[in-house]
Amino acid sequence: MNTGSDGRNQVAAASDGAMMEPKAGEGEDRRGLGSRAPQFIRSRRVLHVSWQVGVFVVGLAVVAAGIVMLPLPGPGWVVIFGGMAIWATEFVWAQLVLRWTKRKVTEAAQRALDPKVRRRNIILTVIGLVIIGALLGVYVWKFGLVMPWSIKNQ
């Protein structure tokens, strides 16, 4: 089966030439898979390959910046997904990864809004705050309002 498409408004074509229908979760993105380059670029092979190389290099730079931002201050995951979105303008594999990611994020958001899950999260948060308050109370009772780096040997 061929996972590419011949045009912007087509979905992936099977090897026998029949068009594949999008899966159940992919109805919102009816554009199909394949290059989003302008027609005049896609019509010239050398120009299209150059375009793809440029898109790959720019996407790689953005993804690399996102990876650097993971341990450093900055929106690392957002930048990584931005680089994937840049790649998805040209490459089918990146489009498939983004569709899978969007589906998983949507499922996680729906699970998080489930009343049972929300109730559990609120209970765990309250328990955590009570434990932190108790530890803070013990610290203040034992040492008073002194910063930890100012405590003498006691």
Side-chain angles (χ1 to χ4, degrees), residues 117-134:
V117 174
R118 290 185 70 202
R119 190 175 318 117
R120 182 199 65 202
N121 290 345
I122 290 171
I123 290 170
L124 289 175
T125 301
V126 168
I127 290 171
L129 289 174
V130 167
I131 290 171
I132 290 172

Side-chain angles (χ1 to χ4, degrees), residues 3 7 9 33 38 44 56 70 75 79 113 119 131 133 135 138 140 144:
T3 58
N9 295 325
L33 301 173
R44 293 166 182 84
F56 182 78
L70 286 175
V79 175
L113 294 176
R119 190 175 318 117
I131 290 171
L135 292 174
V138 168
V140 170

Side-chain angles (χ1 to χ4, degrees), residues 68-80:
V68 168
M69 286 184 202
L70 286 175
L72 299 176
W77 285 110
V78 174
V79 175
I80 289 172

